[in-house]
């Protein structure tokens, strides 16, 4: 007997609704849910492989504890006792800063990741927090923090209503979109063209996205800040600046004019390898479009000038009157966000409130750069990191200089990993705590609803009951929080404490619909079955669409959401400025001081440029996802391979042959790689995907080991970063290439 269950896909940012076929406790099929209010039946090959991924025989089903040097299965009680003892020993002897927290990409995809990391970090009392954000989108947070006063206010392209989309360093046809949650991104691109809109792509690689565009320009990696600055220059020079409805809410426009003055199209054309006239055309088209959105993603962030580039994306949008209006860039309003309040000046956004111990990197959003983790572990002295809590991260493959990190992790006094796999990173742990597979986990998009191109809300309870002996990821985290604070007690008390605090705050807030009510009375109305569900219910009810605990009987609550298994549509994105602004001035501060102070670095780079330097970029494949989906046979092989793409002209110049081998060298090391000659990468650029290199001993991922590939991040030494955001340079990295003889 089979049955079906609905479940939002946790595997990428598109958040498609899936309809799972389940036999017994096994997922035997996955289709797109045609009735899903947001994804309308879209699915990709990763979602279709949900069952295979879920049932991967290499998934850990019991905790592992290291005894006499070897990891062996243990009970949960034994595992948490070991965690408690390990963390306690380090903190007693060396203080709270001696424990670091490392959070990876899946933490923004799981319920537990959305709820517990701040509690864990708080319980540990550490400032040594490292996440995938500084290998990814941190420049965008810095830009938003400075422009809008809220680092989490990230505007997204209003894909369903735009007529002009300028894409910079994103390949949503393969990635399915990022910082822009949109199931069926390819379909939405087609729809733009079908309704007469235009798409322009700037990318050193002619990606599948580029092939869908009206205009494609093979910009030189790392040169976008120059190109976008020149576009800003043209807008001012040709009197094309028009803030539209935003004019009254923006300050600093004339300062930006000043900054852009010397970035003429002629001055930057050679560095970008884009003719000056084409840069003018890009600016004019953007200004002329009825409704235009500029969208920058990984290739605009993980570069030397990531924050400048991210800021320029919004500056161009603002100067052409396209921020916060339909068809432009807009701010989603998630169901669990804080309810909107009348506009008022905020506290602004501060960078560098503290610094990393060894290299003095400034803190950003209470994080330190991922590239600094290894040195914080290796360098002796007060505050040296001796214990690490890793959750959903595989930095040995995803962060620069994996070999160094590999050695550093091996020398820790204590390490615990919350991870379903024994892989390149978790193999160093003293305790591995495996969360259950996705079918046994609930799903709610705390992160991605705030980045979605349409306001909507969906919740899935576990499709399959927890297997015997398994612990939900929420329960794992709640127990970790207790261990970290060295407290005994009921893990559910962790959630109850959060709910009580939220209710207490709400009843004291004159602007809240529950102002003046009694917290215990509100708490008694919560209906969730678990602590995590009661927290969700609390947020939904107090949120912008909430029922205010009865104040608005039509409003949202967990019960109401459960009654709508295909989700609830909350409508198209709506303008949110000025209420959203949290800058001190209460305006969009277009020319923040830290940004202006970074512009001379860009000028110096332009002057010092060496055009013939070969540079490395990454790439993503539709059937892959960072480092952890190479263990599913249907997802590896075919075109999903770890090859070095080289342009025919470079191959000829260097004497490389298709299918031959080459030696690729960077600051951090060298690799021998298989060569794939293709004119889809531009000359002077080579492309190697990340997340490979599954050939280390002590892992338990048999399929991945058979498709090992090489770790591109071994070419990086971690010294190159965007200084404002601490984000690693992963694209536009200088390398040398030679044939293997
Ligand atoms: N050269 C280069 N390097 C890159 C990039 C690049 O483009 N080029 N991209 C960067 C980017 S954007 C990112 S986000 C990072 C990603 O890098 P990481 O954040 O390290 O993410 P993954 O490599 O996906 O590793 C995820 C880990 O989470 C585990 N996991 C899977 N599901 C779950 C779950 O439900 N719960 C828990 N607790 N764990 C789970 C997996 O087994 C795996 O160990 O890589 C970065 N590194
Ligand atoms: N299939 C699949 N989907 C994924 C992932 C995955 O690994 N596989 N990872 C997920 C994650 S963690 C993320 S963050 C997102 C990323 O989502 P995207 O940003 O859409 O993904 P990328 O393929 O890294 O796209 C970056 C593009 O920037 C280009 N580029 C590189 N350097 C430059 C440059 O200097 N200038 C310009 N203009 N372009 C440049 C690259 O050629 C590439 O096409 O994808 C998510 N979705
Ligand atoms: S596009 Fe992303 S969310 Fe949708 S099915 Fe594929 S992996 Fe899942
Ligand atoms: Mo990412």
């Amino acid at each position: 007997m089979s049955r079906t269950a609905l479940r939002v896909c946790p595997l990428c940012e598109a958040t498609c609704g899936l309809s799972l076929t389940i036999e017994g406790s096994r997922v035997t099929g996955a289709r797109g849910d045609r009735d899903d209010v947001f994804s309308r039946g879209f699915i990709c090959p990763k979602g279709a492989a949900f069952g295979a991924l879920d049932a991967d025989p290499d998934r850990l089903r019991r905790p592992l504890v290291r005894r006499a040097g070897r990891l062996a299965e243990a009970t949960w009680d034994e595992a948490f006792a070991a965690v408690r003892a390990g963390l306690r020993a380090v903190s007693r002897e060396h203080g709270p800063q001696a424990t670091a927290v490392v959070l990876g990409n899946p933490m923004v995809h799981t319920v537990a990741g959305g709820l517990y990391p701040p509690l864990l970090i708080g319980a540990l009392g550490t400032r040594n927090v490292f996440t995938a954000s500084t290998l990814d989108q941190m420049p965008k947070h810095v830009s938003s923090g400075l422009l809008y006063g809220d680092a989490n206010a990230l505007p997204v392209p209003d894909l369903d209503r735009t007529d002009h989309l300028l894409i910079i360093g994103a390949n949503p046809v393969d990635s399915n979109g990022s910082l822009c949650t949109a199931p069926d991104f390819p379909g939405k691109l087609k729809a733009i063209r079908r309704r007469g809109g235009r798409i322009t792509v700037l990318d050193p690689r002619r990606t599948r996205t580029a092939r869908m565009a009206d205009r494609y320009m093979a910009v030189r990696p790392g040169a976008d800040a120059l190109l976008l600055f020149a576009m800003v220059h043209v807008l001012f020079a040709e009197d094309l600046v028009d803030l539209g409805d935003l004019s009254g809410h923006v300050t600093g426009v004339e300062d930006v004019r000043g900054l852009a003055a010397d970035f003429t199209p002629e001055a930057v054309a050679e560095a970008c390898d884009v003719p000056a006239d084409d840069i003018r055309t890009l600016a004019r088209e953007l200004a002329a479009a009825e409704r235009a959105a500029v969208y920058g993603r990984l290739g605009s962030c993980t570069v030397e000038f990531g924050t400048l580039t991210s800021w320029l994306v919004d500056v161009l949008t603002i100067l052409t009157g396209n921020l916060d209006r339909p068809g432009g860039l807009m701010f989603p309003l998630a169901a669990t966000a804080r309810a909107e309040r009348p506009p008022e000046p905020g506290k602004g956004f501060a960078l560098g409130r503290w610094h990393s111990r060894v290299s003095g990197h400034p803190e950003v959003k209470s994080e330190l750069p991922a590239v600094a983790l290894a040195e914080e572990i290796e360098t002796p002295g007060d505050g040296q990191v001796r214990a690490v809590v890793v959750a959903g991260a595989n930095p040995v493959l995803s962060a620069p200089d994996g070999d160094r990190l590999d050695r550093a992790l091996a020398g820790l006094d204590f390490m615990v990993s919350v991870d379903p796999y024994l892989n390149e990173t978790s193999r160093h742990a003293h305790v591995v705590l495996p969360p259950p597979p996705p079918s046994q986990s609930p799903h709610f998009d705390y992160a991605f609803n705030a980045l979605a191109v349409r306001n909507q809300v969906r919740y899935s309870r576990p499709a399959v009951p927890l297997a015997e002996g398994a612990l939900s990821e929420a329960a794992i985290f709640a127990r970790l929080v207790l261990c970290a604070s060295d407290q005994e007690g009921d893990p559910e008390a962790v959630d109850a404490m959060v709910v009580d605090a939220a209710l207490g705050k709400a009843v004291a807030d004159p602007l809240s619909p529950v102002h003046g009510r009694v917290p215990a009375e509100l708490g008694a109305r919560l209906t969730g079955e678990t602590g995590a569900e009661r927290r969700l219910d609390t947020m939904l009810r107090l949120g912008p669409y909430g029922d205010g605990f009865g104040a608005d009987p039509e409003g949202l609550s967990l019960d109401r959401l459960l009654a709508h298994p295909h989700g609830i549509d909350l409508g198209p994105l709506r303008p949110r400025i000025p209420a959203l602004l949290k800058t001190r001035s209460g305006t969009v501060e277009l020319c923040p001081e830290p940004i202006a102070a970074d512009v001379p670095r860009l000028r110096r780079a332009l002057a010092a440029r060496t055009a013939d330097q070969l540079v490395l970029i990454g790439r993503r494949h539709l059937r892959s996802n960072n480092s952890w989906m190479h263990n599913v046979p249907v997802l590896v092989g075919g075109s999903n391979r770890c090859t070095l793409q080289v342009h025919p002209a470079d191959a000829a110049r260097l004497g490389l042959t298709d299918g031959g081998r080459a030696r690729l060298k960077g600051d951090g090391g060298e690799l021998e790689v298989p060569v794939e000659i293709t004119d889809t990468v531009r000359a002077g650029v080579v492309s190697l995907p990340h997340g490979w290199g599954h050939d280390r001993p002590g892992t338990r991922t048999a399929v991945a080991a058979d498709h090992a590939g090489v770790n591109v991040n071994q070419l990086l030494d971690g010294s190159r970063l965007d200084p404002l955001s601490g984000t690693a340079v992963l694209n536009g990295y200088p390398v040398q290439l030679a044939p293997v003889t």
Side-chain angles (χ1 to χ4, degrees):
M1 265 293 285
S2 73
R3 62 184 176 97
T4 57
L6 299 176
R7 159 76 218 226
V8 174
C9 179
L11 303 179
C12 90
E13 299 184 35
T15 72
C16 303
L18 303 181
S19 171
L20 305 178
T21 308
I22 296 166
E23 283 168 44
S25 61
R26 270 196 52 221
V27 177
T28 53
R31 288 180 297 113
D33 171 17
R34 268 186 243 118
D35 298 318
D36 184 281
V37 295
F38 192 34
S39 65
R40 303 277 173 209
F42 183 77
I43 187 170
C44 86
K46 287 196 296 292
F50 186 102
L53 190 74
D54 203 70
D56 184 345
D58 281 338
R59 249 176 210 279
L60 303 175
R61 282 167 174 79
R62 299 268 179 280
L64 303 178
V65 174
R66 191 173 295 277
R67 293 196 180 98
R70 289 176 47 103
L71 283 169
E73 284 195 359
T75 66
W76 288 102
D77 283 344
E78 289 165 340
F80 284 107
V83 172
R84 184 181 292 269
L87 292 178
R88 183 195 280 158
V90 169
S91 76
R92 290 224 172 130
E93 199 167 332
H94 305 287
Q97 304 311 325
T99 301
V101 174
V102 179
L103 304 172
N105 173 272
M107 288 293 98
V108 285
H109 291 273
T110 68
V111 164
L115 293 178
Y116 299 92
L119 301 174
L120 179 64
I121 293 163
L124 290 166
T126 181
R127 285 179 166 178
N128 279 310
V129 177
F130 305 84
T131 84
S133 294
T134 53
L135 303 168
D136 189 347
Q137 83 291 359
M138 194 58 104
K140 199 75 217 168
H141 289 303
V142 173
S143 164
S144 277
L146 295 169
L147 282 166
Y148 316 119
D150 180 351
N152 289 321
L154 307 184
V156 304
D158 185 10
L159 290 183
D160 293 329
R161 292 181 287 186
T162 196
D163 318 307
H164 186 97
L165 183 62
L166 172 57
I167 300 180
I168 300 153
N171 180 16
V173 173
D174 285 315
S175 70
N176 279 308
S178 178
L179 300 191
C180 176
T181 283
D184 194 13
F185 212 124
K188 290 184 187 295
L189 294 179
K190 279 188 207 131
I192 292 174
R193 297 196 55 186
R194 220 180 298 122
R195 60 179 181 259
R198 288 180 66 85
I199 301 170
T200 300
V201 171
L202 300 179
D203 198 306
R205 202 165 71 85
R206 201 169 65 248
T207 60
R208 296 206 298 156
T209 304
R211 278 176 248 161
M212 288 182 68
D214 299 272
R215 191 191 290 283
Y216 162 62
M217 293 184 190
V219 63
R220 215 189 291 279
D224 303 84
L226 294 168
L227 191 149
L228 302 188
F229 241 135
M231 288 176 67
V232 170
H233 176 98
V234 173
L235 292 180
F236 281 111
E238 302 189 0
D239 211 10
L240 297 173
V241 172
D242 176 5
L243 303 189
D245 291 347
L246 226 56
S247 50
H249 298 295
V250 185
T251 50
V253 175
E254 286 309 304
D255 298 323
V256 173
R257 180 199 295 268
L259 281 183
D262 52 348
F263 292 105
T264 62
E266 281 71 21
V268 306
E270 206 188 319
C272 302
D273 202 12
V274 173
D277 283 344
D278 288 357
I279 299 176
R280 288 206 165 80
T281 303
L282 288 176
R284 288 172 191 153
E285 285 181 354
L286 187 67
E290 191 62 39
R291 299 173 295 185
V294 188
Y295 171 54
R297 203 48 284 275
L298 209 70
S300 70
C301 283
T302 53
V303 289
E304 226 182 317
F305 297 97
T307 302
L308 277 180
T309 309
S310 296
W311 168 75
L312 284 160
V313 163
D314 285 26
V315 167
L316 283 168
T317 305
I318 292 164
L319 293 179
T320 54
N322 284 302
L323 182 74
D324 201 39
R325 73 147 173 192
L329 289 187
M330 300 193 80
F331 299 96
L333 184 61
T336 52
R338 217 167 86 125
E340 285 194 295
R341 306 165 78 87
E344 52 177 11
K347 292 202 195 88
F349 173 70
L351 285 160
R353 292 164 299 168
W354 56 86
H355 291 78
S356 72
R357 181 181 62 104
V358 180
S359 288
H361 295 297
E363 135 314 308
V364 180
K365 275 188 92 208
S366 306
E367 293 184 22
L368 298 172
V371 299
L373 176 60
E375 67 184 19
E376 291 297 333
I377 299 173
E378 280 175 350
T379 312
D382 213 23
Q384 179 181 6
V385 169
R386 294 161 192 272
V388 176
V389 181
V390 186
N394 189 5
V396 169
L397 295 190
S398 49
D401 202 350
D403 286 349
R404 181 178 178 193
L405 199 53
D406 206 22
R407 288 190 301 272
L409 294 175
L412 285 168
D413 290 357
F414 184 70
M415 170 171 160
V416 50
S417 272
V418 184
D419 205 293
Y421 285 105
L422 192 59
N423 63 15
E424 296 75 17
T425 296
S426 59
R427 74 195 178 110
H428 292 299
H430 297 85
V431 181
V432 184
L433 305 169
S439 65
Q440 296 172 29
S441 303
H443 190 82
F444 187 85
D445 281 299
Y446 285 104
F448 299 115
N449 286 345
L451 297 164
V453 297
R454 198 172 166 93
N455 291 320
Q456 44 70 45
V457 60
R458 293 163 297 160
Y459 176 62
S460 347
R461 278 189 165 154
V464 171
L466 268 184
E468 192 171 330
L471 212 53
S472 75
E473 190 167 22
I476 293 174
F477 266 94
R479 290 185 70 169
L480 263 183
V481 171
L482 291 177
C483 291
S485 47
D486 206 0
Q487 285 175 353
E488 302 289 343
D490 178 5
E492 293 263 317
V494 171
D495 299 305
M497 192 189 68
V498 177
V499 168
D500 288 349
L503 295 178
K505 204 168 149 203
V507 298
D509 176 358
L511 294 175
S512 166
V514 297
H515 180 238
R517 288 172 68 180
V518 180
E521 176 251 325
L522 303 180
R525 290 170 174 249
L526 295 171
T527 58
E529 288 175 355
T530 60
E533 279 195 347
R534 284 187 290 278
R535 287 175 67 185
L536 174 59
D537 198 12
T538 306
M539 282 186 262
L540 290 172
R541 289 173 164 217
L542 295 176
Y545 313 90
D547 77 348
F549 288 86
D552 174 5
E554 299 295 295
L556 274 182
S557 64
L558 178 65
D559 272 354
R560 198 171 150 82
L561 198 47
L562 287 168
H564 292 81
H566 305 284
I568 297 176
D569 180 40
L570 300 167
L573 305 185
R574 285 175 293 125
R576 295 188 55 203
I577 286 178
L580 165 129
L581 299 174
K582 295 286 167 281
T583 49
R584 284 173 188 274
S585 63
T587 67
V588 175
E589 297 180 356
L590 200 65
C591 191
E593 190 276 327
I595 296 272
D598 200 29
V599 174
R601 188 172 66 95
L602 183 64
R603 287 202 186 94
R604 285 197 301 276
L606 178 60
R609 196 176 65 80
T610 42
D612 48 3
Q613 171 67 59
L614 188 69
V615 294
L616 176 74
I617 61 169
R619 72 177 184 271
R620 281 173 160 74
H621 192 284
L622 184 59
R623 280 184 289 111
S624 193
N625 187 39
N626 299 329
S627 77
W628 71 279
M629 285 185 201
H630 299 148
N631 208 52
V632 179
V634 295
L635 296 179
V636 283
S639 56
N640 180 16
R641 287 186 311 126
C642 184
T643 57
L644 183 76
Q645 295 187 336
V646 184
H647 187 269
D650 292 320
R653 178 171 55 83
L654 296 164
L656 300 172
T657 52
D658 191 55
R661 299 190 70 80
R663 198 173 306 286
L664 186 61
K665 238 191 234 180
D667 300 339
E670 62 176 73
L671 299 170
E672 205 183 299
V673 290
V675 172
E676 177 189 343
I677 297 178
T678 165
D679 66 1
T680 53
V681 283
R682 53 158 291 152
V685 177
V686 291
S687 167
L688 190 64
H690 72 288
W692 299 88
H694 305 292
D695 53 0
R696 294 174 201 252
T699 60
R700 195 183 301 168
T701 49
V703 178
D706 279 345
H707 300 79
V710 294
N711 178 12
V712 63
N713 286 326
Q714 199 45 54
L715 300 169
L716 282 51
D717 70 356
S719 64
R720 289 173 198 261
L721 43 71
D722 168 46
L724 275 177
S725 67
T727 304
V729 175
L730 305 172
N731 282 290
Y733 199 91
V735 286
Q736 284 107 47
L737 182 62
V740 170
T741 43

